[in-house]
Amino acid sequence: TIKRFRRHGHESQRDRLKQELFHFNKTVEHGFPHQPSALGYSPSLQLLAIGNRSGAIKLYGAPGVEFMGLHDENAAVTQVHFLPHQVELVTLLDDNSLHMWTLRAHKGLSELLEIGRFMLTGPPGSASQSPNSSWTDISFLILLSLLCTSVPDDYIGRRNLEHVEALQENPVNPNQVVIGYGRGLMIIWDLEKQRAIQHIPATQQLESVWWTEDGSYILSSHSDGSYCRWMVGAEDVNEEEEKSDIPYGHFPCKAISKIVQLPTEKGPPFLLFSGGMPRASYGDRHCITVIQNKTQVALDLTSRIIDFFVIRDGPKHTDPSALVVLVEEELVVIDLQTEGWPVIQTPYLVPLHSSAITCSHHISTIPIKLWERVIAAGELQNTHYSKKPWPITGGQNLAPDPPQRDLLLTGHEDGTVCFWDASGVCLYPMYKLSTAAVFHTDADPNDNMNQGTEGEWPPFRKVGCFDPYSDDPRLGIQKIHLCKYSGYLTVAGTAGQILVLELNDEAAEQTVEAKVVDLLQGQEGFRWKGHTRLDVREEPVLFPPGFQPFALVQCQPPAVVTALTLHSEWKLVAFGTSHGFGLYDYQQKNNVLIKCTLNPSDQLAMEGPLSRVKSIKKSLRQSFRRMRRSRVSLRKHHVNNYSVPYTQIQDANARLEAELAEMELAPVQRKIEARSSDDSFTGLVRTLYFADTFLSDSSHNTPSLWAGTNGGCVFAFMLRLPPVEHRADEPEIQLMHRAPVVGIVVLDGHGAPLPEPLEVAHDLARSPDLQGSHHLLVISEEQFKVFTLPKVSAKMKLKLTAVDGSRVRRVGVAWFGSSRSEDYGESGLVVLTNQGDLHVVSLPGVKMQVQYPCIRREDVSGIASCVFTKHGQGFYLISPSEFERFSLSTRHVVEPRCLVEVPLHSDNSTKHRPLHDGFSSAHGCVPSPSCLLFFFFHIGRNARHDSEDPGNMSFRGSTSRSKMHVPLAE
């Protein structure tokens, strides 16, 4: 009983401690929303809203002010409208449902909540099937009968009038709205008198309308690339003549989908419209034209235009100051008050996928000197941006300042590496490195065709940074390693290239010579069938300030680099591919070590990435063979006849083999597969690790290199420094179940992971304990195993594989600080499995602490993209353009903490405001339900009022019990 009580007391204390150390949160999404479909803006709140095709709605204000909501329906958001001078907004989905959202304050912070919905159960355009059909039907029929009065014969007929293409309120008289129909007819309707006061019979198919600020003109844009200006107030229809202009005629042009005209305080107005390009010559361009006085520019955007709006400032908030354009792959903001109309750099919503992301690397706690040098290099790249501050400033960012400076590095398909400030909620671009200049590539001859030359027509100007084109896919960055203390950076690519770079504040012209490494070491019978290596430029190249390459290693065969690490104190870089690994001294520019890991039977490793069909066939055959073998018995593997001077390693292997064969399995666990040595890619190097530890005896620590392969081999090499060109004999640990080795960690005498290179020299970590024995932790896909060093005897293990077949996909060491005590914390191993689960394993005890579901098991790309931080956070791609950030730590959490308050305004100041902020016209996907519904709110004001609140109309959604209050025109 006493023993049970002690054990129970200990477990309770440990459970309390776990609660202080570990807590899982998905905290913020970085990047650009995938497949955006709608744009909204509130001038009073100064908030931007973006809806996407999967039903997500995101709000952005000042940097750090972010909100996200998700509709229950998996339907595209087609429109977003803010209610004026309130913290509410309405969304329309393409399933004909309207949703009401509010920013509700809770404990001093705002939350985005859905508070009601309204279903239109009929097909798009059929509003009469709504829950309020008792008044909408009557209003609709009255409306049709009144509209048909004095309408030309060509327009008579309910079918022609049903399709509402555009709707806008008179800016100076809220009792008047213009209704535009698809065939071109526009009707100005008086809400108070309930009658049509003017018909505008356009002859071309209507795309959008715009009512000028003084109320005197209506602009209409059409499907033939024309726009027309109509005077308001002409009593006789025949008095109004169609004044048409085709800006980019005379040849057939594409539709002008949206048109806006805005006055300025002291000069001529701005005219802006999207589309209208000559169909034959430039039909594939995505353009917004800006015209003021004699200046005209066709902004040539990088992808399809979703929508745009203009932000206005000045004493009366009338002067256009910035054009905000949402396109399919990025958000572009143009400064309209600076000469040349330059782009304003965005502090968020940056397209991470300007070129497709191929890898990521996170570095915590960057020293201030390196941070400032990276910023300085980045500022030299951004001189073309506007000097104006970010114009969207709504809400208050109440999050505390980040406790440290963190960098996230992303490698891209075009050979670039982007440096991002990952310290806070906004993932801000700092600097961009390009490696393409080192090599000869096929540059795009059309690179400069969109820059525009004087006198060119149309007057194109390319804007935006999304560019999925890559000069050469072999440039793709696969691995990155940055030493934050020395400023040395190494990047490795798709064609076996490894570049070593150093940070230089000045431009430098230099030649980068390639050192070729033959990983096959002359073995015969192998022929590489994949891509060729990149051609290195022999002439000097001028590299701008920033990271500049000074050493290049080229692997032969030029296969994808699968593992990379750098030790800046020893001036060494280790790299691995599917054929072997090597060690390079970048100070002396010499190869120190080459080790071939290719199995003679593994011909697939010689195929290269282009032979996927054969790869799939072979892997399937091997999977079936493996399943048949595992049913019979565990197969015993024998250590290769490899000359190993350390007999204790051979003894350890024999003990491991016997242990594996005789181990008893718990009922909930399945047997770990005895993998065949002829499996594909057994020689692929999965992990590389430098450690100063005990390898030859227990009294002399020595530098060492460790490598783990897909076939379960762990190689250890003792390094003599200096000189590093002499290497010692090589012990090899063979994991008998041969599961791929995905991680290697050496723990010191206190059980703590060894510090990073130069970390102790900079007084940022304590010196490792070199008195007691060290331990080697080997993480394979299926288990965690601890060996003593230098005896290499197994001490303890933890099997991950259970009935669900979990396997380790990502692993990292993190520090977890207590939320209750500043002085207490623990190191732990963070693990992501192929099931998408996160585990924390204690060190050095190797015991499972917590488990959380994180990523859907079907999301293979999300699992493959995951990267951990040193303080218990992580990132993974939820789409090609977005990182999801998560935290496993109670102390280190980065998440939005912001407040949006109802703006102060007087009744007089809003007397002539539009129906809702930013509302101009309904155009695009499914305009009819929204346009008619907002119109019914006006014409139904006498038909049905909320008795408790005569100024508002309420309605209930079919699946929600909460009331939705929609204000009438102010």
Side-chain angles (χ1 to χ4, degrees):
T1 304
I2 293 174
K3 285 183 179 179
R4 189 181 303 122
F5 175 78
R6 285 177 177 172
R7 185 168 64 249
H8 177 72
H10 175 73
E11 289 175 355
S12 300
Q13 184 179 355
R14 182 62 194 168
D15 288 340
R16 284 195 298 271
L17 191 55
K18 286 182 186 178
Q19 293 176 1
E20 296 173 15
L21 295 171
F22 312 116
H23 184 67
F24 177 69
N25 272 314
K26 291 185 179 180
T27 55
V28 66
E29 292 177 3
H30 298 301
F32 183 78
H34 186 49
Q35 297 181 325
S37 54
L39 177 68
Y41 180 66
S42 168
S44 57
L45 297 178
Q46 295 192 60
L47 290 181
L48 166 80
I50 295 177
N52 73 2
R53 291 187 210 168
S54 60
I57 176 80
K58 297 187 178 183
L59 273 56
Y60 300 90
V65 176
E66 297 184 12
F67 302 93
M68 178 186 170
L70 189 64
H71 296 85
D72 292 336
E73 298 80 1
N74 186 20
V77 181
T78 58
Q79 294 184 42
V80 182
H81 300 294
F82 284 90
L83 303 185
H85 303 281
Q86 298 185 48
V87 289
E88 278 88 32
L89 64 151
V90 176
T91 55
L92 171 68
L93 306 189
D94 68 357
D95 65 353
N96 273 9
S97 62
L98 280 165
H99 301 255
M100 186 79 162
W101 299 80
T102 187
L103 287 166
R104 182 174 294 167
H106 177 66
K107 295 183 179 179
L109 300 174
S110 296
E111 300 174 332
L112 181 62
L113 301 172
E114 183 181 1
I115 57 173
R117 66 187 61 187
F118 181 98
M119 280 300 301
L120 302 171
T121 55
S126 174
S128 60
Q129 299 301 312
S130 68
N132 297 317
S133 58
S134 57
W135 61 271
T136 55
D137 273 344
I138 296 169
S139 302
F140 186 69
L141 293 172
I142 293 173
L143 171 62
L144 282 177
S145 62
L146 291 171
L147 289 177
C148 291
T149 308
S150 303
V151 174
D153 293 342
D154 289 347
Y155 294 98
I156 292 177
R158 174 170 180 160
R159 193 177 66 166
N160 291 333
L161 289 175
E162 271 184 343
H163 181 55
V164 176
E165 188 66 45
L167 175 69
Q168 194 182 23
E169 193 174 80
N170 188 336
V172 296
N173 183 355
N175 286 317
Q176 294 180 359
V177 293
V178 59
I179 309 164
Y181 292 90
R183 287 191 60 195
L185 174 66
M186 289 169 281
I187 297 173
I188 299 179
W189 182 265
D190 191 298
L191 299 169
E192 199 168 51
K193 298 175 183 177
Q194 301 244 337
R195 68 181 181 87
I197 59 175
Q198 185 175 349
H199 297 84
I200 303 174
T203 58
Q204 290 293 330
Q205 181 179 327
L206 184 68
E207 294 288 328
S208 75
V209 300
W210 180 262
W211 209 321
T212 59
E213 296 253 319
D214 58 4
S216 59
Y217 288 95
I218 287 175
L219 273 65
S220 61
S221 68
H222 302 274
S223 61
D224 64 344
S226 67
Y227 70 90
C228 305
R229 188 182 304 271
W230 311 89
M231 183 178 289
V232 175
E235 291 293 334
D236 189 351
V237 173
N238 296 323
E239 288 180 10
E240 179 60 44
E241 295 182 1
E242 189 171 0
K243 300 178 178 64
S244 178
D245 186 5
I246 304 179
Y248 295 109
H250 303 283
F251 296 106
C253 293
K254 298 194 75 174
I256 293 179
S257 56
K258 181 175 181 178
I259 190 164
V260 171
Q261 180 177 301
L262 295 170
T264 58
E265 197 72 26
K266 298 178 181 178
F270 274 91
L271 179 68
L272 308 97
F273 58 85
S274 56
M277 286 293 114
R279 189 176 294 274
S281 304
Y282 304 108
D284 59 340
R285 300 291 183 94
H286 311 285
C287 293
I288 289 182
T289 298
V290 184
I291 304 173
Q292 189 198 27
N293 203 5
K294 296 181 180 180
T295 304
Q296 179 170 339
V297 171
L299 301 172
D300 187 7
L301 294 137
T302 58
S303 49
R304 185 175 65 89
I305 297 167
I306 307 297
D307 202 354
F308 70 90
F309 65 84
V310 177
I311 298 176
R312 305 162 74 181
D313 62 11
K316 299 180 181 178
H317 296 282
T318 55
D319 266 4
S321 63
L323 166 64
V324 180
V325 186
L326 176 67
V327 298
E328 207 157 38
E329 304 293 353
E330 61 183 313
L331 185 81
V332 177
V333 182
I334 306 293
D335 176 3
L336 295 176
Q337 294 186 337
T338 301
E339 187 178 356
W341 297 334
V343 173
I344 301 175
Q345 189 171 18
T346 55
Y348 45 72
L349 288 169
V350 183
L352 308 177
H353 64 314
S354 291
S355 174
I357 295 175
T358 48
C359 68
S360 304
H361 178 62
H362 187 274
I363 313 101
S364 301
T365 323
I366 304 296
I368 184 64
K369 187 174 181 181
L370 175 64
W371 188 263
E372 290 174 346
R373 293 177 70 191
V374 171
I375 289 176
E379 286 175 347
L380 295 174
Q381 299 176 332
N382 297 332
T383 54
H384 59 288
Y385 284 115
S386 168
K387 298 294 188 282
K388 284 232 170 188
W390 181 242
I392 299 170
T393 58
Q396 305 171 47
N397 179 14
L398 302 180
D401 291 335
Q404 59 198 33
R405 294 170 294 274
D406 288 354
L407 273 177
L408 180 68
L409 274 57
T410 53
H412 298 265
E413 189 180 42
D414 63 354
T416 58
V417 178
C418 292
F419 287 62
W420 306 89
D421 179 354
S423 313
V425 169
C426 293
L427 196 65
Y428 187 77
M430 297 174 64
Y431 165 73
K432 186 175 182 178
L433 162 70
S434 176
T435 63
V438 179
F439 307 99
H440 286 288
T441 56
D442 298 327
D444 183 8
N446 300 319
D447 269 351
N448 299 316
M449 69 176 292
N450 294 341
Q451 297 305 313
T453 56
E454 192 171 345
E456 181 190 13
W457 191 261
F460 288 120
R461 178 158 75 87
K462 189 173 178 64
V463 292
C465 60
F466 176 72
D467 182 12
Y469 177 80
S470 173
D471 288 344
D472 192 323
R474 295 175 297 172
L475 288 168
I477 305 298
Q478 297 296 327
K479 296 291 175 182
I480 305 170
H481 192 115
L482 171 67
C483 174
K484 62 187 177 184
Y485 303 110
S486 64
Y488 283 111
L489 169 70
T490 181
V491 297
T494 304
Q497 72 273 27
I498 300 102
L499 281 165
V500 188
L501 310 95
E502 60 182 337
L503 189 55
N504 190 347
D505 300 327
E506 304 292 335
E509 189 174 33
Q510 57 198 41
T511 303
V512 184
E513 295 181 7
K515 190 77 173 180
V516 178
V517 174
D518 181 11
L519 291 174
L520 297 182
Q521 294 182 293
Q523 293 192 35
E524 297 181 0
F526 293 110
R527 187 170 63 87
W528 173 248
K529 300 177 184 177
H531 48 236
T532 59
R533 53 178 279 192
L534 284 160
D535 294 327
V536 182
R537 292 184 185 274
E538 296 178 358
E539 69 277 9
V541 177
L542 180 63
F543 295 104
F547 284 93
Q548 299 170 348
F550 66 90
L552 169 61
V553 179
Q554 178 61 58
C555 294
Q556 285 293 110
V560 172
V561 177
T562 57
L564 183 72
T565 189
L566 174 143
H567 199 296
S568 51
E569 191 172 357
W570 301 341
K571 303 292 190 293
L572 295 175
V573 169
F575 51 89
T577 72
S578 53
H579 307 121
F581 57 92
L583 185 63
Y584 178 74
D585 180 342
Y586 62 80
Q587 185 175 38
Q588 300 181 16
K589 297 188 178 180
N590 281 331
N591 295 326
V592 178
L593 163 68
I594 302 170
K595 172 67 177 175
C596 179
T597 56
L598 191 66
N599 190 299
S601 63
D602 190 4
Q603 287 289 339
L604 194 61
M606 304 304 296
E607 296 290 338
L610 303 179
S611 304
R612 293 181 181 176
V613 176
K614 186 174 180 181
S615 172
I616 292 170
K617 286 181 181 177
K618 185 168 183 180
S619 63
L620 282 173
R621 286 198 301 268
Q622 290 170 340
S623 296
F624 280 102
R625 284 203 301 268
R626 196 158 52 234
M627 282 189 286
R628 284 195 295 269
R629 284 195 302 271
S630 62
R631 290 194 194 104
V632 180
S633 65
L634 284 173
R635 175 178 171 184
K636 293 186 178 182
H637 295 279
H638 301 283
V639 180
N640 296 333
N641 294 324
Y642 196 83
S643 176
V644 181
Y646 301 110
T647 55
Q648 66 266 33
I649 295 174
Q650 292 175 319
D651 294 340
N653 279 338
R655 287 196 300 274
L656 284 173
E657 184 174 359
E659 180 186 340
L660 181 67
E662 296 172 6
M663 67 181 178
E664 295 181 2
L665 299 174
V668 297
Q669 291 180 319
R670 67 174 177 85
K671 290 184 177 182
I672 295 174
E673 292 180 358
R675 304 194 182 199
S676 169
S677 60
D678 65 355
D679 282 354
S680 297
F681 297 107
T682 54
L684 186 144
V685 179
R686 292 286 290 269
T687 184
L688 291 160
Y689 179 74
F690 285 113
D692 188 357
T693 186
F694 301 97
L695 205 60
S696 57
D697 58 63
S698 56
S699 57
H700 298 92
N701 58 292
T702 180
S704 61
L705 170 67
W706 300 76
T709 73
N710 219 35
C713 289
V714 178
F715 297 91
F717 291 85
M718 188 164 60
L719 308 173
R720 296 195 185 105
L721 300 171
V724 293
E725 60 267 20
H726 300 298
R727 62 184 173 91
D729 296 314
E730 44 195 79
E732 175 188 342
I733 302 168
Q734 177 64 61
L735 298 183
M736 299 318 298
H737 67 287
R738 294 185 182 272
V741 175
V742 296
I744 296 172
V745 179
V746 171
L747 308 173
D748 70 6
H750 293 301
L754 296 184
E756 295 179 22
L758 296 174
E759 194 172 15
V760 175
H762 285 77
D763 295 326
L764 294 170
R766 65 174 179 81
S767 298
D769 179 16
L770 298 175
Q771 301 302 318
S773 62
H774 283 191
H775 292 95
L776 171 69
L777 171 60
V778 178
I779 305 109
S780 75
E781 281 191 347
E782 300 179 3
Q783 67 180 3
F784 311 86
K785 201 148 199 172
V786 179
F787 300 86
T788 60
L789 291 178
K791 291 183 178 180
V792 200
S793 58
K795 183 178 181 182
M796 64 185 80
K797 65 183 174 185
L798 170 66
K799 294 187 292 290
L800 175 72
T801 304
V803 287
D804 63 353
S806 293
R807 293 188 177 176
V808 176
R809 284 290 177 262
R810 286 285 183 273
V811 65
V813 175
W815 174 258
F816 294 93
S818 169
S819 60
R820 183 165 295 182
S821 171
E822 285 289 330
D823 299 329
Y824 185 76
E826 293 180 4
S827 285
L829 205 63
V830 185
V831 178
L832 175 69
T833 72
N834 62 337
Q835 308 293 316
D837 295 333
L838 288 168
H839 301 260
V840 178
V841 177
S842 65
L843 292 176
V846 196
K847 293 182 179 179
M848 199 69 74
Q849 298 300 299
V850 287
Q851 175 182 350
Y852 305 105
C854 179
I855 309 174
R856 291 182 301 108
R857 61 187 298 176
E858 300 82 11
D859 187 3
V860 178
S861 62
I863 293 172
S865 66
C866 185
V867 58
F868 296 124
T869 79
K870 298 291 186 185
H871 293 92
Q873 298 185 66
F875 303 80
Y876 69 93
L877 289 172
I878 54 173
S879 76
S881 58
E882 295 170 284
F883 275 112
E884 176 78 68
R885 187 177 190 137
F886 62 85
S887 176
L888 290 162
S889 169
T890 56
R891 187 184 294 183
H892 292 274
V893 181
V894 174
E895 60 184 348
R897 296 177 61 83
C898 34
L899 177 65
V900 176
E901 298 178 305
V902 180
L904 299 174
H905 67 286
S906 63
D907 291 337
N908 293 333
S909 64
T910 60
K911 184 176 180 181
H912 300 303
R913 299 291 293 182
L915 173 63
H916 61 293
D917 284 2
F919 181 78
S920 57
S921 63
H923 66 284
C925 301
V926 191
S928 305
S930 171
C931 293
L932 287 174
L933 189 58
F934 279 103
F935 191 67
F936 291 148
F937 289 158
H938 286 281
I939 63 176
R941 72 171 75 194
N942 296 322
R944 183 172 178 175
H945 281 150
D946 190 314
S947 59
E948 297 179 3
D949 188 0
N952 290 277
M953 299 178 59
S954 65
F955 58 94
R956 294 180 185 271
S958 57
T959 57
S960 174
R961 295 186 178 181
S962 58
K963 279 194 173 183
M964 181 191 291
H965 296 284
V966 179
L968 300 174
E970 296 176 344

